[in-house]
Amino acid sequence: MGMDSLYYKAWMTKQKILEKLFGTYEESFQNLPRTLLVIRDLNPGIIVTWDHKMFDGNKAIFEKAFWIWFLNLLR
């Protein structure tokens, strides 16, 4: 039982540090479209797409993101 609580405390501490460094899952989801658009705008010849499902009016579930550099593949 002591090892379980020690592992849990270590895991929770790691999660809190990651959240301070990178934000929450919700914040990451909100930033995703903007991040993908910046990647697209800064890299000529790239195609970026992503999918999500809307539910409950204004909530969304992220499904997938995809990007590919066509110019680099054709060289």
Side-chain angles (χ1 to χ4, degrees):
M1 192 159 184
M3 286 299 285
D4 288 340
S5 63
L6 182 61
Y7 175 82
Y8 177 77
K9 287 179 184 179
W11 186 82
M12 288 303 296
T13 301
K14 179 197 73 144
Q15 292 302 109
K16 289 178 184 178
I17 291 170
L18 288 174
E19 190 172 301
K20 283 185 180 182
L21 290 173
F22 302 111
T24 64
Y25 290 112
E26 293 82 9
E27 292 167 343
S28 295
F29 181 81
Q30 293 298 320
N31 290 329
L32 181 62
R34 183 177 26 198
T35 302
L36 292 172
L37 290 174
V38 169
I39 290 170
R40 184 197 66 192
D41 293 343
L42 294 176
N43 296 282
I46 192 173
I47 293 176
V48 177
T49 185
W50 64 91
D51 292 325
H52 63 278
K53 288 183 180 176
M54 298 299 294
F55 70 98
D56 287 343
N58 65 345
K59 295 181 182 177
I61 296 175
F62 173 74
E63 289 190 333
K64 59 189 168 211
F66 176 79
W67 59 89
I68 186 167
W69 285 268
F70 278 110
L71 294 178
N72 291 337
L73 293 175
L74 298 175
R75 292 183 186 172

